[in-house]
Amino acid sequence: GKLIELHKEKDNSKFNVGDIFIAKIKKTITGLNAAFLNVGYEKDAFLHYHDLGPKVKTLMKFTKLVSEGKITNYSLEKLNFEKEIDKHGKIDDVLSPNNTILTQIIKEPISTKGPRISSELSFAGRFLVLVPFSNRISISQKIEDSKEKDRLKRLVKSITPKGFAVIIRTVAKGKKVAELDRDLQNLYARWIAMCKKIRNGNIPNKVMDEMNISSKILRDLFDENFTSILVNDETLQIQIKDYVQKIAPKKESIVRLY
């Protein structure tokens, strides 16, 4: 009978953490070692050198090939990766004005500032996080059992597509390969859907939406002990039912309209 947590979501905010945009570089600022980019917000977005990620050159090459229609299956299997950028390098060596780049929002816009963005993309799922242009398998520190760590790493390695890294989240502990595989397939499908949007040529353009807050909460908290999910909005109930159907088909019936 007590309210334990309350999460609020502003309606129709077009710039949520996790959204991915194809953006245009407006200018680089040597003193800040950063760049300002147009993501379609009234204030330019801020991208610091440290948020470029080591694989940014590969990302830019891939984006260019996709937008020119030279890559059509969006797999990274045959892509030759570029050399990683220097940890202590300069923004001007990597980015130049009018170039386009894929970026992800890491901090929403506040008052006078535009969003803060990164070009290290990641797609968060229920058990796994998919990271393009890398090949590491890493695992949450909170899983301490070394046997379980090895089991998960081995499983995930066997199902991960080439050219992608995966971070194994704490909730993956004890999960079977079928559940992990389904999560990975969902994330890969989001990657493909995003790549298809790069081709339409509009810049700036949002190419991937982060989930609405309710799906995000379910993604992070939901487990087989849940006995009911009550929703007081019909559209949202349909969305949540769809989402639960994807992640736990047997639990779909616990989503009810209140």
Side-chain angles (χ1 to χ4, degrees), residues 20-238:
I20 297 179
F21 284 80
I22 186 155
K24 184 166 266 202
I25 299 156
K26 295 271 286 281
K27 58 183 177 209
T28 55
I29 311 284
T30 314
L32 292 173
N33 206 13
F36 285 99
L37 287 84
N38 176 7
V39 290
Y41 188 70
E42 65 240 32
K43 296 271 193 308
D44 288 337
F46 180 81
L47 174 62
H48 192 273
Y49 185 86
H50 292 146
D51 293 320
L52 289 174
K55 302 281 199 288
V56 64
K57 288 191 166 167
T58 309
L59 169 83
M60 288 166 84
K61 171 175 148 178
F62 176 80
T63 312
K64 189 170 187 287
L65 292 170
V66 169
S67 58
E68 289 169 355
K70 289 178 182 159
I71 292 182
T72 49
N73 67 349
Y74 312 124
S75 132
L76 301 179
E77 210 161 312
K78 297 193 170 78
L79 187 73
N80 290 323
F81 284 13
E82 298 294 307
K83 202 166 163 281
E84 293 193 357
I85 61 169
D86 176 12
K87 261 199 196 103
H88 309 291
K90 298 274 176 280
I91 196 93
D92 299 309
D93 301 337
V94 184
L95 302 183
S96 41
N98 291 326
N99 278 359
T100 57
I101 186 169
L102 273 177
T103 60
Q104 191 161 27
I105 295 195
I106 51 176
K107 202 169 175 193
E108 285 162 19
I110 43 167
S111 62
T112 58
K113 290 181 174 165
R116 179 146 186 182
I117 54 179
S118 161
S119 52
E120 273 196 285
L121 309 182
S122 65
F123 298 76
R126 188 134 183 255
F127 307 122
L128 308 170
V129 179
L130 186 67
V131 182
F133 311 112
S134 177
N135 45 26
R136 285 182 54 208
I137 306 287
S138 43
I139 192 160
S140 159
Q141 298 286 318
K142 289 183 186 155
I143 300 179
E144 286 163 4
D145 178 352
S146 57
K147 266 191 183 155
E148 178 59 359
K149 270 188 164 157
D150 291 347
R151 181 190 78 93
L152 284 170
K153 278 189 164 177
R154 210 173 49 247
L155 277 183
V156 170
K157 199 172 180 168
S158 71
I159 57 176
T160 302
K162 194 167 180 277
F164 288 87
V166 169
I167 301 161
I168 303 166
R169 303 180 68 174
T170 314
V171 282
K173 191 177 169 184
K175 295 298 174 243
K176 296 187 176 71
V177 69
E179 292 176 277
L180 299 175
D181 191 43
R182 187 163 64 217
D183 198 35
L184 191 65
Q185 293 309 324
N186 282 339
L187 295 175
Y188 192 67
R190 289 175 76 192
W191 160 260
I192 299 287
M194 180 204 77
C195 291
K196 283 180 179 163
K197 286 191 179 169
I198 296 173
R199 283 229 48 196
N200 80 5
N202 298 341
I203 296 164
N205 185 25
K206 187 195 283 193
V207 290
M208 194 191 81
D209 268 319
E210 183 42 291
M211 305 164 142
N212 62 34
I213 198 165
S214 37
S215 300
K216 239 192 235 174
I217 291 168
L218 286 177
R219 177 185 74 195
D220 296 342
L221 297 181
F222 184 82
D223 62 27
E224 52 280 357
N225 302 321
F226 270 54
T227 53
S228 87
I229 297 169
L230 302 179
V231 192
N232 68 349
D233 175 283
E234 217 162 320
T235 323
L236 191 58
Q237 187 224 0
I238 293 166

